[in-house]
Amino acid sequence: DDARRLADRLYLWGCCLGILLCLLQLACLPLVGILAPIKEVQEAARTPAILAAILQILNGAVFAGEGILVGLKAYRWLAASSGIGCACMVTCLYLFGNDALTGLWLGLYLFNL
């Protein structure tokens, strides 16, 4: 079935590009020292930058899958998954009220699952 092979190839490309973008983002991590000369800022930016890089792997797969679902006109599934993702994100932001940055990154991770 040609459509299945095309969808598999699109998904594979999304995963590969997500991994490539993750590695590129991790390789650029030392540039934080150039952009922010203050040590405290560099240390504070390190963990979110690593989390954001790891999320790129998931994003590559998720966005390819969403594109496939749009092509299949599976709008109910897309709406349901977006609704669940939004609920998870809002819950994370509420639970991590004092640490909004952690809540945001965790919410983004859960939204893309």
Side-chain angles (χ1 to χ4, degrees), residues 32-50:
V32 172
I34 295 170
L35 299 172
I38 302 169
K39 279 288 186 202
E40 291 82 11
V41 174
Q42 293 174 11
E43 291 171 10
R46 183 171 179 76
T47 301
I50 292 170

Side-chain angles (χ1 to χ4, degrees), residues 55-77:
L55 272 174
Q56 297 305 325
I57 299 169
L58 182 62
N59 289 341
V62 166
F63 291 134
E66 284 182 356
I68 292 167
L69 288 175
V70 168
L72 293 171
K73 297 182 181 179
Y75 300 120
R76 286 187 181 157
W77 172 254

Side-chain angles (χ1 to χ4, degrees), residues 9 20 33 39 45 54 88 109-110:
R9 189 169 53 229
L20 181 67
K39 279 288 186 202
I54 293 170
C88 289
Y109 174 76
L110 292 175

